Amino acid sequence: MKILALTGSPRKDGNTERLVKAIIAGAQGKGAEVNYYDLSQLNIAGCKACMYCKSNDGCAVKDDMLPLLQEILTADAVILGSPVYMWQFSAQTKLFVDRLFAMLNPDYSVKFKSGLPLVLVYTQGQPDVKAFAGYFDMNAKMFEFLQFKVVDTLVCGGCRNKEDVEKNEAIIAKAKEMGEYLTTLK
Ligand SMILES: Cc1cc2nc3c(=O)[nH]c(=O)nc-3n(C[C@H](O)[C@H](O)[C@H](O)COP(=O)(O)O)c2cc1C
């Protein structure tokens, strides 16, 4: 079982990283092999809309997205975590998401295993976890269009200081269970 885990916060050891790492701990406890990347530490440019990917495999932009595209091809599950920035993904996360365009064929089929399990993770300052539900639902639909199978969307509210997520024992426990659950999908 190979899991690709990504976070898009520029804050090292912050809430998003901690929550995703709780999922990773659950998965590793059940024997999963997990490759974790901090998107903010990678060199990922925006999509150039050159359409290279519509007649070739891979992407014409030769940066750190290329190994991630390769990992998606062989992953059994993906975890993507982002802090909520201005009601949306962080910019670091959005760069990654836009570059998934390289996985989409002209007929809207995809180059990776259709139905690849995906867990979406958000942390936010707003205590009401329903505040951005419309945006999270739309993202889940977008990923389903890309033929991921969105297993769940975990949201932790009330995260201001970078360790605040640890005070929410319920969400940390849920994250660990989610990691364990992912290992049952293969
Ligand atoms: C630039 C910026 C924009 C933010 N925008 C929002 C927002 O729109 N809604 C919200 O609830 N929290 C917002 N926050 C708070 C973060 O979502 C929250 O602190 C999150 O847990 C940060 O994740 P991290 O600890 O992994 O960096 C924002 C924080 C920053 C730095």
Side-chain angles (χ1 to χ4, degrees):
M1 177 78 187
K2 276 179 62 179
I3 298 177
L4 173 63
L6 307 161
T7 54
S9 170
R11 192 155 64 159
K12 185 83 197 117
D13 296 325
N15 297 290
T16 314
E17 185 177 328
R18 287 168 194 251
L19 192 51
V20 165
K21 287 195 168 166
I23 304 178
I24 291 174
Q28 286 177 328
K30 294 287 180 186
E33 180 193 329
V34 183
N35 287 345
Y36 169 74
Y37 297 91
D38 174 350
L39 293 170
S40 76
Q41 294 300 307
L42 301 182
N43 173 31
I44 299 180
C47 173
K48 306 287 185 222
C50 67
M51 302 298 150
Y52 170 92
C53 59
K54 301 303 159 242
S55 48
N56 298 276
D57 285 335
C59 178
V61 183
K62 307 301 180 204
D63 63 9
D64 291 340
M65 189 66 190
L66 295 188
L68 297 185
L69 291 172
Q70 280 302 316
E71 292 219 26
I72 292 169
L73 293 176
T74 56
D76 299 305
V78 178
I79 304 164
L80 177 63
S82 178
V84 173
Y85 276 7
M86 304 306 181
W87 294 40
Q88 300 173 37
F89 282 132
S90 67
Q92 292 84 348
T93 310
K94 185 63 163 63
L95 287 169
F96 166 80
V97 171
D98 282 2
R99 294 285 296 282
L100 291 175
F101 191 62
M103 287 299 200
L104 203 53
N105 293 315
D107 65 356
Y108 301 112
S109 63
V110 286
K111 297 174 185 177
F112 58 91
K113 265 177 285 183
S114 174
L116 182 61
L118 171 68
V119 179
L120 294 169
V121 177
Y122 301 95
T123 69
Q124 61 188 48
Q126 161 69 255
D128 177 6
V129 294
K130 297 220 180 313
F132 310 114
Y135 177 72
F136 300 156
D137 285 350
M138 195 171 71
N139 286 341
K141 286 194 180 82
M142 176 270 295
F143 281 113
E144 296 268 353
F145 169 75
L146 289 179
Q147 298 187 38
F148 288 91
K149 169 77 195 124
V150 178
V151 178
D152 205 355
T153 297
L154 295 189
V155 185
C156 187
C159 294
R160 290 182 184 278
N161 298 320
K162 62 184 190 175
E163 69 289 344
D164 282 348
V165 68
E166 306 282 356
K167 296 178 198 152
N168 188 332
E169 290 176 11
I171 195 94
I172 295 290
K174 194 174 172 194
K176 285 190 180 142
E177 279 167 26
M178 177 53 60
E180 292 170 3
Y181 174 69
L182 285 179
T183 66
T184 69
L185 297 180
K186 199 193 174 202

